[in-house]
Structures are given as structure tokens and as C-alpha cells.
Amino acid sequence: MPLTEDGIYSVALRLIEADGVEALTMRKLATALDANPMSLYHHVPNKEAVLRGVAGRVSSRFSAHAVQDLPWQDRLRHMFLDVREVAHQHPKLMKYCLARADYIQPEDPFWRDLTDALALAGLPTAEITRTAAALCAAITGLLTSELTGILQQWSTLPPTPDSDEAPEPTRSEMDVMFRRALDAAVAGVENHPARASERP
């Protein structure tokens, strides 16, 4: 089969989820594609470009367009729950992506939908970017802690030094924890001191 960018990114994603970002090399990718390594460079210049392409392919799934008729609070919840779902589908890729400042770009549908939702919340233009950045930092930090197991480990800590450790939370308990944190983030936007009254 002829090489295509989409085919390269698809196979790269499979290799990343099998062995991690660090283990991906252009040679391994070429072998998985049954192609000459040099032929890959006609489509992608290096591993970094492959990772950007794979990340873009995955992040293109994030969009609030399907819920534009919902209140802005529910749009925010829907967007970040979608991010979490994709993070669980592709944990090794997302651990890499969520640690990079350049993962979110101004032209990304996710960023545009996020800033649109905050505009609907009545935030003044000067506050939208800062609030969006704070939301992304809070939620991606929470997700990174979950993907690395840190959140699960912290959840077992005893409430006092002489207490027993708690059992590790189940997946459904983790879902509840994430939703509570998300509700707190939405409440923070609702209580923003610069927020104007909601648009009709």
C-alpha cells in the first residue's frame, strides 16, 4: 500500500500505545509500515513531526459543536469529559501531549470552543484567555495525575497519621472525583468577579 500521512499517523499511534512515545523511532515506524525508512521522510521530516501529526489526529476529536445548544456550563463539562475519555483511550500519547505547552494552539477547535463557551459565560474579552488557560492547567493536571497513577495513590493516604490507608478508588469512584473537580472549575467561572450577566 502506498504511504500516506494518515496511514503513518495511524500506525504510529498504535506503536505509541504499545510501547510509549520514547520507544517510537522512525526505523520502527518504517518496519511496522513495511516501508523503507527513507521513504517516510517524503511525508514527515522527523519523529517530532510524526508526534505532532498523531496528536493533531487525536485532538481533532475534541469539539463542542454537538452541544452548542446547551448552557455554557454543560458545554464546558462536555468538552473536558471528552478530553478525559480520549486520554483513557490513548493514555501513553496523552501523557506526552498534556505535558507540552504547545499541545493547545489558538487555531485548535478545542481552544476555539472553550473560549466561545467562556464568552457565553459573560467573561470580558481580557479575562477569557486567562480563565481558559487556568481551566486547561487545572483539568490537564488532574488528568496527568490520573494517567500516571499519582491521583490513585494520593487517594489511599490516611486522613490522619494514625488512620489506616484507604482502598484504591475504583473506576466509578475516579469518575465521581473527576466530575466533582470539574464542577468546582465550572463554579469558579460562575463566581468570577469580572463576569457579566449571562447572555440570553
Side-chain angles (χ1 to χ4, degrees), residues 24-158:
L24 179 68
T25 65
M26 296 296 277
R27 184 169 294 278
K28 284 183 179 178
L29 181 55
T31 299
L33 289 161
D34 195 24
N36 185 312
M38 295 307 296
S39 64
L40 287 182
Y41 294 100
H42 295 296
H43 301 275
V44 285
N46 49 41
K47 175 180 172 177
E48 188 65 24
V50 172
L51 292 174
R52 282 197 304 271
V54 173
R57 192 172 190 262
V58 170
S59 66
S60 66
R61 305 175 195 178
F62 306 143
S63 178
H65 292 309
V67 291
Q68 283 186 340
D69 294 335
L70 294 178
W72 64 265
Q73 295 95 329
D74 291 334
R75 289 178 64 174
L76 289 179
R77 290 185 181 94
H78 177 85
M79 291 174 65
F80 284 112
L81 286 170
D82 272 359
V83 172
R84 183 172 183 254
E85 183 179 343
V86 172
H88 279 276
Q89 290 170 356
H90 306 292
K92 292 181 180 177
L93 173 69
M94 291 300 286
K95 276 190 285 187
Y96 166 82
C97 291
L98 295 175
R100 296 179 59 89
D102 61 357
Y103 178 56
I104 297 176
Q105 295 293 324
E107 67 274 8
D108 291 343
F110 174 82
W111 182 258
R112 293 200 306 269
D113 289 337
L114 175 57
T115 53
D116 285 350
L118 294 175
L120 288 172
L123 288 181
T125 303
E127 291 295 326
I128 288 176
T129 294
R130 292 180 184 142
T131 303
L135 283 173
C136 288
I139 299 302
T140 59
L142 178 63
L143 267 177
T144 300
S145 296
E146 184 180 357
L147 293 175
T148 57
I150 292 173
L151 182 60
Q152 292 87 327
Q153 183 177 340
W154 287 346
S155 298
T156 67
L157 295 177

